[in-house]
Every structure is written in C-alpha cells, then in structure tokens.
Amino acid sequence: MSNVSDVSNADTVWIEKDALIDRIPRSVAMALLFIVVVAIWDLVTRMGWVSPIILPSPAETLADLIFVGQNLISGQYMLEALWTTTLTVFYAFLIATAIGFSLGVLVGETKFGERAVMPYLVAIDTMPKVAFAPLFIAWLGFDISSKVALAAFIATFPIVVATAAGLYAASENERMLFKSIGASRMQTLLRLKLPTGLPYIFTGLKIAAVGVMAGAIMGEFLGGGKGFGALIRQSASQMNTPRVFALIIYLSLLGLALYFTVVWVQRRLVFWNKSDQPGAIG
Amino acid sequence: MTTIVIPRPGDPGPAASTERPVYEIQRLSKTYARNELVALQGVNLSLHRGEFVSVVGSSGCGKSTLLKIMAGLLPPTTGRVVLEGKPVLGPRADIGMMFQQATLLPWKTTLENIVLPIEIRNGRSAAKAASGRALELLRLVGLGDFANVYPGELSGGMAQRASICRMLVADPAVLLLDEPFSALDELTRDFMNMELQRICMERQATAFLVTHSLAEAVILSDRILVMKPRPGRVIEEVKIDLPRPRTLEMINTPRFGEIVAHIRDLLGKEAFV
Ligand SMILES: Nc1ncnc2c1ncn2[C@@H]1O[C@H](COP(=O)(O)OP(=O)(O)O)[C@@H](O)[C@H]1O
Ligand SMILES: [Mg+2]
C-alpha cells in the first residue's frame, strides 16, 4: 500500500487561476472598453482641451448619429447616398473577385502565369493605386463607374495573391495521390487544389472587402458624385465635424456587413476548417 | 540449424513457377536532373503473384524514388518497368498506392474518400455504384461505423486504415506502400501491420513495401531487398522463412533476431547513425 491514499484531496488538488483581466467575458470586456474610451473622450471635450471643430463631444456626435439615422430611415437623400456607395462597393467587390480569382488561377496554376504575369502584377501592386483615380475619372466620367473601377483595382491584388498561394497549399502527398489515381490537371485543380486553397482565398476576400470600401470612398472624395463619400467631404468642408463622425460610423456598418457576409459564406463553404482563420471572430 | 537463403539479386527464387512475374524491373536507374544526383543505379527485381516484398535502407537511399518509378509517377532515366506484361508509362488503375500520410480530403466523408479513385477515373455515378464495395472494405478494417464521418474525426490509425480501403477499392493487381505506418505510434503500427498481413493474405495481394523498420519488414515479407545509398542500389535480397501467418510473438524468437541482425550487418553501422 502506498501512502498516497492517506493524503486527502484538499491537500493535493489545486486549480490553475487566470489573471483577473483574462477572466472578463467578451461582451463585458467590449462594453468596458467602450465606456472607458467614451468617458475619456467626454472628459477631453468637456474640459475644452480640444477644440470642438477638431473633436466634437460624444453628446454632439450622438445627436448627429440620431439625425443621420432618421434621415436614413425615412429614406431621404442620405439613404440614396448610402445606396449609391453600397452599389459601388458591391459591383467593385464582384469585379475584383472575378478578375482576382482568374488571375490567381493563371498565376498559381500555370508556369506562364507565374513567370510572365506575376512580375507585372507585383510591379503594379507596389504603385500607390489611388494615383490612378484621375485616370479612371478621365476614362469613365464622374458617375459610379469610375469609383467602381478604382475600388476594384485596389481590391483585385490581394485576391490574386491569396488565390495563387491557395493553389500551392496542397501537400506533395496529396498531389502524388491525385497523380497516382490518374487525375487530369483540371481534376486536380478542381477537386484538390481549389478546395485546399479556399481558406487562403477567403483571407484574400476579407482583405479585398476592406479594400473596396477604401477605394469607393477615395473615389467619391476625388471624383464627387452622389455617394456617401461626397456627403462626408461636404460636411467636412463645412466644418461640421459631428456630422462627419456620424457619417463615418454609418459607413463602417456597410464595411462590417460586407466583411461578415464573406465570413459567413466562408463558414458555410469551408466547413471542415473552422479554427485558426485569421480575422474570424467567435 | 537453419540458414538464411540469399539468392542472387534478380533471381526469382522458388516462388517463381512457370508463371511470369507480375512486376519485372530491369537495369533501372534514375538520375535527378536538378542536382545530377544518382538516386538509383542498376536495380533489378521481380515480384510474383501473392508475394510480399519489402525494401529497407537508410533514409535517402532511393526507396521512394524506386517506388515512384514503379508506380509510374516518375520516369526512369534508364531501364524498364513492366507490370502484367505491359510497360509502366504513367499512373495506372491496376496499381494501388499508400503513402506515409493518410491524405484523406477533409471535405469528403470517409466513404467518399474511399471511392475517390473511382470518382476520378470513372465519374460520379461509378463512384456511387462502388459505395457498397467501399462499405464492405470499411467493415473489413473495422471502420464500418465511420463511413459517413469526416476525416477530422478519425485518429491517425483510423485514417490510415481508411486509406488502405481507398487503395483497395479499385481492386489493384499490386500494392505499393511507402512507409505507410511510420507516422503512427508503435502499438498502433504493430496492429496495422497485422491488419495489412491479414488483408494481403485474404486477397492474395502482391505487395511492395518501403520501410526503414527492419522488424516491420521481417514480420511482413517473403523477401527483403536491402538497399544502400550513393548511388542507391540493391545490395542483397534476404528470404524470410518464418511460417505464415506471422504473429507479433515471432518478434521474440531467435530466428527473427537472427534475420534482423543479418540485415543490420548488411546495412552496416554507418547507415543508421
Ligand atoms: N525531386 C528530387 N530532385 C532531386 N533529388 C531528389 C528528389 N527526390 C529525391 N531526391 C534525392 O534522391 C535521394 C533518394 O531519395 P528518396 O528516394 O526519397 O530516398 P528514401 O525514400 O530512401 O529516403 C535523396 O538523396 C534525395 O535527396
Ligand atoms: Mg522515402
């Protein structure tokens, strides 16, 4: 008989404790941080440390949020602007996905694409793409097509790179398996490389979702038109900073909606790979 | 007193009756163009129906290269490979392969993974028609209840058993196995080796196994080819005269120890340091 059994549990069982800050649940942690930031913001504006033209108080911003919200809900000109920007973002995302995916397959699947196409893509990608905005406006005019073009232009490259990387992701063993069962190149692409690369491709799509938003607003800043970006610029030029803040917050909802649509599609499509997806919340 | 029979390399031995060998490999050599590395030189071997032959040798001596050439996955530099009277000029439906990793596709169920070779070669409807046979195979390896499960839920040993089924589903004439169980823990590995023996005996399968485990090679094989590197070549062929079916207990017999010691001698000490 060993004397281990003589020792009671109370003396031997111990519990590993997380630090207090690590034990706060997500919702509480997020609310806590929000309250702290708003409190500091309120303090800074209340004490007059920063001019209201630079930083409006939380109360002013809230008032404008409500005003803009009412305008949107009652379907007035702001809703029209938001709709214009939504369409721009939507078209740009579709175009970027189609072109980015096709180029990505060309680069990732063919030696020609890798050797000839990729160097040019890298060269264009290193350019500041906003600099092309005046060209797009000159070619396509001041309506949404020039903004769509700029946004799509910005968002295409991450999809190309992600798709090409995804097609390389299948392991040597998996390729050998497909070769040994007599798979054609097309079969290997469609049944092995593409499904294996999907998590990568979705990472590219998420980066592109952020990119089209930036591109669309940039296009509207530079090329005018009827979108949300034009509203923001207008309010800014009138020094109406609370309005600018409110508009940016509503705009970010559009970005979030696009981003989480991509995340949602990814969860459905790539059901076998739920963990370690960069950027996935929850 | 027993002695180890060591025929000349390429000698078909007593297993060869009047029947012609399933696999005939002559004067095979392979030089990788990329680094001008001579991976194989002057390899001759033949496999007879129902025979289990292993290749042992230190890592990098060209075992996988030999297997890939036999499978038609890699062209030889010189020499010929003939399977069932027809030269091997590419992947073939009558060759079943298994690799170190199970490589099951995570988006297909176990059953769908097993019929994958048929799906690729003969299309979806043929694959569907083969699912009954696939299920039978799964039961054979004790995975009957896991047919509709995704591979993410299978253990390493279960995944390798599933990949055995995938190899067998098209009823290949010959099985080529490249260190199929070396990623598994030792207990699982012993169990899998016994499974493999049972399956091969039941099906009268012709099998060619690459391994770097001498014990595994001895327990499974009728013959063992001993390879040495730089350049990769077969230095000897060792006949294993242990009775069949083999059991894990045989590992403790003096005879088994003698054979392992003999092969270890052939490889030389430097091969494993
Ligand atoms: N694709 C390749 N290109 C160049 N050298 C290779 C290639 N594949 C394998 N080799 C080399 O050929 C030799 C034999 O490799 P391999 O057949 O994989 O050995 P083993 O399976 O016995 O470990 C090694 O030296 C390896 O580095
Ligand atoms: Mg190897």
Side-chain angles (χ1 to χ4, degrees), chain A residues 173 179 181 187 191 195 272, chain B residues 73 91 101 107 119-121:
Chain A
N173 271 317
K179 208 171 166 190
I181 59 178
Q187 283 176 319
R191 312 258 178 105
W272 62 91
Chain B
L73 295 174
Q101 258 71 41
W107 55 87
E119 188 194 323
I120 293 287
R121 281 212 166 87

Side-chain angles (χ1 to χ4, degrees), chain A residues 27 29 35 49 60 65 80 126 130 136 151 175 188 194 209 214 236 243 251 264:
Chain A
S27 49
I35 291 167
W49 292 337
E60 281 175 299
L65 267 179
E80 223 166 283
T126 54
V130 195
F136 286 128
R175 285 157 203 262
T188 307
L194 272 181
R243 178 67 49 83
L251 187 63
W264 182 79

Side-chain angles (χ1 to χ4, degrees), chain A residues 172, chain B residues 30-40 55-68 74 178-179 210-212 227 229-230 232:
Chain A
E172 187 56 39
Chain B
K30 175 71 187 179
T31 305
Y32 282 109
R34 182 162 63 80
N35 45 7
E36 288 176 16
L37 187 124
V38 183
L40 290 176
V55 181
V56 297
S58 56
S59 122
C61 71
K63 304 184 295 294
S64 294
T65 303
L66 173 60
L67 194 104
K68 282 181 202 164
L74 202 65
D178 194 350
E179 305 191 11
V210 164
T211 177
H212 52 233
M227 282 187 72
R230 287 179 296 276

